[in-house]
Amino acid sequence: MSYNVGSLFAGVGGICLGFKRADERFTLSFANEMDREACKTYSTNFNHNLIEGDIEKILDPNILFRERDFLQTRFTDLSNVELGKYNYDEQLIKDCIKSLNDPFFVSVLMKGNFDLTDSLKKKAAKFGYDEEALKEFVEYQLVKINLENYSDEKLNPKVEEFRLKNDEIKAERIDVLTAGFPCQAFSIAGGRKGFSDHRGELFYSVINLVQQLDEVGHGKPRVLFLENVKNLVSHDDGNTFKVIKSELENLGYTLKYKVLNTYKYTNLPQNRERIFVVCFLNKADAEAFGSFEKFPELKRTREELKQSLKEILDYTITKETNPELYYTREKYPQYFMTEEEFLKSGKNEWINLDKDIDEMYEVYQVRRGMYVRKNQSGVCPTLTANMGTGGHNVPLIKVHDGVRKLSPKDCFNLQGFRVGTEYSFPHNIKSSASLYKQSGNAVSVDVIELIAKRILKAFLKVDRELTEEDVVEVEQPVLEKPQLSLFNLVDGELTEKEIQEANRLGQSLLEIKELLLDELYVITSKEQLEELRKKIMIKLSESL
């Protein structure tokens, strides 16, 4: 038996890889992603159907007509405003257009959420520009630019393209629908705007697809697998998660959820807390899955964590092979100040990376450009999407010939992608900054694998019990005397004591079998395998 998996907001395929790695009975049916660079990476590593594009428009292509009507009306309104009275700095306007003209611009504008970023507001203030007037001028320029994409010649083929993709995405029955829907709207770094941020509203694409799959006759997916930042639970005093939970329950799903930290449940040494929500359409599946509390935490010493970093990070990189990764005095003089320079600088904090980053197999960060901090847990701090842009989010390590930041390969491997053996980078990727963004937006594959194995175990338990043969097996847990031939005990009659001993041994073997069925699908580390071995030995010692 196989189970079809469909993936929304697939990114570079972390969730897909976790299910693929969990068991061959999970069949990847389709994936959807709109980021072009992420799609390049995804296509390099998977052969199944990647449906590129905005999922909202794929599910409702008529959105494009509504967007055109809105832009035309808005263009007319702004054309009547006196916009030419300000002689704005040309470079500032270019910066505004580059920063604000993203794929969601029209959606944001339609919902009344369009605004300048904080950095653009600061630039406007330096020029002494009126903020609202500048915003209106920039909006007009963006509306004019975007309207060019809504001519009949461009729009009609686009609508037809989305309609064909709508057919593709609903072509098969889906057993597990996964969605790592955009988390920036709920993260601290993203401003925690929630549903007031268009990215937060993309959750409803999951609801929409579930309903459409049901309407075409495939039925609702048996499981919905959702992942997001841990702040999703606490956002807006918990009201955001209440809405999400209510919407899913109204579809008929039972929810199981928990915030898991990557390094506490896998061998990946990264401090990454994410909420995982597994939604079951069938109560039997939910009961068979059990509780997230059953997931065993790994107890590792700092030395064991350092060993994991040593094995995962590439310490063969040198300043000669990858000079772009190294922090040097020539590139960052403010981070290599001598004591004399510090005393003359008048600064309150003294940073010298050669002095502050002094231990191998540890991970450091420059915080706010003011001080260096070694991660207190002995692992890598949470990888973020803006690592490639510099700043305090860049993890740094001491190597044999200096101090360097993590490479894109390091970051992907810390997420469990196993670059070079199981996973590859595309040859036509735009820049390393794009790879840093992709790894920061990705999931920890090993955590996905852990949960996917538990989902599979639930499926197999429920589906197996539907057969008559397996029901009989469950109903006969104790060995009786006629079955003693299983132990090749064929010479003569056994004493009552010997029969009792054989029954006790048989019972222990059945208990070990149940133990294996319960635990084997969630083993992802040597430590968990050793723990299972101990449990089996205890069972055997009790019966012998």
Side-chain angles (χ1 to χ4, degrees):
M1 180 176 289
S2 64
Y3 303 97
N4 286 345
V5 179
S7 180
L8 298 179
F9 315 105
V12 294
I15 293 179
C16 296
L17 184 57
F19 274 85
K20 179 182 177 181
R21 195 187 288 169
D23 197 279
E24 61 184 9
R25 282 167 283 199
F26 284 123
T27 302
L28 300 176
S29 177
F30 78 83
N32 165 254
E33 174 56 45
M34 69 177 295
D35 184 281
R36 291 180 179 177
E37 295 301 303
C39 284
K40 291 178 185 177
T41 306
Y42 191 100
S43 298
T44 301
N45 293 281
F46 298 93
N47 297 321
H48 59 274
N49 190 17
L50 174 62
I51 303 171
E52 296 187 37
D54 184 340
I55 186 60
E56 284 191 304
K57 294 180 175 67
I58 290 173
L59 296 177
D60 182 8
N62 290 325
I63 287 176
L64 288 166
F65 293 120
R66 297 196 291 273
E67 287 183 345
R68 180 175 65 179
D69 293 343
F70 174 83
L71 286 175
Q72 289 175 337
T73 301
R74 190 63 184 146
F75 181 75
T76 300
D77 292 342
L78 290 169
S79 297
N80 296 323
V81 177
E82 189 180 353
L83 298 170
K85 62 181 178 180
Y86 291 103
N87 185 24
Y88 291 116
D89 179 76
E90 186 176 339
Q91 186 57 50
L92 174 61
I93 299 303
K94 287 182 179 179
D95 291 343
C96 289
I97 291 172
K98 182 179 179 180
S99 175
L100 298 172
N101 192 26
D102 66 24
F104 296 121
F105 164 71
V106 182
S107 298
V108 170
L109 193 60
M110 289 177 71
K111 292 176 173 61
N113 294 329
F114 177 74
D115 199 1
L116 302 176
T117 64
D118 289 341
S119 62
L120 292 175
K121 289 177 181 178
K122 288 179 182 177
K123 289 181 181 179
K126 286 182 179 179
F127 283 103
Y129 297 146
D130 179 82
E131 186 180 302
E132 285 302 312
L134 175 62
K135 186 177 80 169
E136 203 168 51
F137 182 83
V138 171
E139 181 185 345
Y140 175 74
Q141 302 302 321
L142 289 171
V143 167
K144 186 164 61 173
I145 291 170
N146 277 271
L147 261 177
E148 295 175 5
N149 298 319
Y150 287 82
S151 64
D152 287 339
E153 292 79 9
K154 292 183 178 181
L155 189 62
N156 291 332
K158 200 69 179 175
V159 170
E160 182 59 27
E161 177 189 336
F162 280 130
R163 285 174 178 161
L164 291 173
K165 289 180 177 181
N166 183 279
D167 292 336
E168 279 187 79
I169 212 166
K170 297 185 300 189
E172 293 185 293
R173 172 187 54 80
I174 298 299
D175 297 291
V176 181
L177 179 62
T178 75
F181 57 99
C183 61
Q184 296 95 324
F186 307 106
S187 69
I188 294 174
R192 291 189 286 191
K193 294 181 180 178
F195 289 136
S196 65
D197 185 327
H198 176 69
R199 294 169 298 186
E201 291 184 334
L202 288 172
F203 160 74
Y204 284 98
S205 295
V206 180
I207 303 295
N208 195 353
L209 180 54
V210 169
Q211 292 171 332
Q212 290 193 29
L213 287 168
D214 195 27
E215 288 167 1
V216 298
H218 292 314
K220 299 172 185 175
R222 188 168 171 176
V223 162
L224 304 180
F225 180 98
L226 311 177
E227 178 267 353
N228 213 285
V229 292
K230 70 171 183 176
N231 293 311
L232 180 67
V233 182
S234 57
H235 180 265
D236 190 23
D237 295 326
N239 291 320
T240 297
F241 192 69
K242 285 180 183 178
V243 171
I244 290 174
K245 187 171 182 288
S246 175
E247 293 283 4
L248 294 168
E249 288 175 340
N250 288 339
L251 285 174
Y253 287 94
T254 300
L255 278 62
K256 308 270 184 167
Y257 54 90
K258 187 176 181 180
V259 173
L260 301 178
N261 194 325
T262 294
Y263 86 92
K264 292 184 178 180
Y265 291 89
T266 74
N267 283 322
L268 300 174
Q270 183 193 171
N271 181 50
R272 190 178 193 85
E273 293 181 287
R274 291 293 184 269
I275 185 171
F276 296 91
V277 186
V278 185
C279 316
F280 296 93
L281 190 62
N282 306 321
K283 288 188 177 180
D285 289 339
E287 291 173 0
F289 180 85
S291 168
F292 269 107
E293 303 307 321
K294 285 189 174 182
F295 285 54
E297 281 195 35
L298 301 180
K299 305 295 183 182
R300 290 185 289 171
T301 65
R302 195 177 188 90
E303 286 305 310
E304 289 172 329
L305 292 170
K306 289 176 70 172
Q307 182 62 30
S308 294
L309 283 168
K310 182 178 180 181
E311 293 171 357
I312 288 177
L313 302 183
D314 187 356
Y315 283 90
T316 65
I317 288 174
T318 67
K319 196 176 292 184
E320 290 184 1
T321 60
N322 295 87
E324 74 282 358
L325 297 177
Y326 280 74
Y327 275 47
T328 62
R329 183 177 174 86
E330 291 72 29
K331 287 194 288 187
Y332 302 99
Q334 73 275 23
Y335 292 159
F336 290 87
M337 294 176 64
T338 64
E339 185 174 6
E340 182 181 355
E341 289 170 334
F342 167 66
L343 293 173
K344 290 180 179 179
S345 70
K347 293 185 177 181
N348 295 323
E349 299 290 341
W350 175 24
I351 294 179
N352 184 303
L353 296 186
D354 287 334
K355 169 181 66 72
D356 298 328
I357 299 180
D358 60 351
E359 194 171 351
M360 295 275 284
Y361 316 124
E362 297 278 359
V363 183
Y364 299 78
Q365 286 177 308
V366 177
R367 303 296 292 179
R368 303 181 185 88
M370 296 172 60
Y371 63 96
V372 176
R373 185 175 74 180
K374 178 168 69 175
N375 186 270
Q376 297 304 307
S377 300
V379 295
C380 179
T382 305
L383 299 175
T384 63
N386 60 356
M387 289 181 294
T389 63
H392 69 274
N393 287 314
V394 181
L396 303 174
I397 58 173
K398 176 179 174 60
V399 291
H400 300 288
D401 58 348
V403 172
R404 72 166 177 86
K405 63 182 178 181
L406 298 185
S407 69
K409 179 182 176 182
D410 288 330
C411 294
F412 270 79
N413 284 341
L414 280 165
Q415 292 280 47
F417 283 89
R418 303 174 189 170
V419 176
T421 58
E422 185 183 35
Y423 200 85
S424 304
F425 292 149
H427 297 297
N428 58 341
I429 202 71
K430 185 171 62 175
S431 67
S432 61
S434 176
L435 290 174
Y436 282 116
K437 177 183 176 182
Q438 291 171 30
S439 65
N441 280 334
V443 297
S444 297
V445 180
D446 292 29
V447 178
I448 306 301
E449 181 185 359
L450 186 73
I451 302 172
K453 285 180 175 179
R454 181 71 75 171
I455 292 171
L456 178 64
K457 177 203 153 193
F459 282 178
L460 295 178
K461 184 174 182 181
V462 171
D463 294 347
R464 188 178 65 249
E465 288 181 354
L466 293 176
T467 68
E468 183 177 342
E469 180 182 349
D470 287 326
V471 172
V472 172
E473 180 185 341
V474 172
E475 290 175 350
Q476 295 179 337
V478 182
L479 276 170
E480 301 295 340
K481 183 176 179 180
Q483 295 172 297
L484 293 175
S485 59
L486 290 173
F487 299 97
N488 295 319
L489 300 173
V490 295
D491 296 326
E493 294 292 326
L494 297 175
T495 66
E496 185 176 346
K497 182 178 180 182
E498 289 169 332
I499 291 173
Q500 290 175 348
E501 290 176 351
N503 274 324
R504 192 159 55 244
L505 177 59
Q507 180 64 36
S508 292
L509 289 173
L510 285 170
E511 289 176 359
I512 290 171
K513 175 188 173 184
E514 289 300 314
L515 183 67
L516 287 169
L517 285 173
D518 189 54
E519 300 290 343
L520 198 54
Y521 286 117
V522 296
I523 290 177
T524 60
S525 67
K526 293 179 181 178
E527 291 86 350
Q528 290 171 323
L529 186 61
E530 178 63 20
E531 186 65 27
L532 177 60
R533 187 189 70 80
K534 290 178 181 177
K535 290 180 181 179
I536 292 173
M537 295 304 296
I538 290 171
K539 288 289 182 186
L540 286 174
S541 65
E542 289 174 350
S543 63
L544 295 176

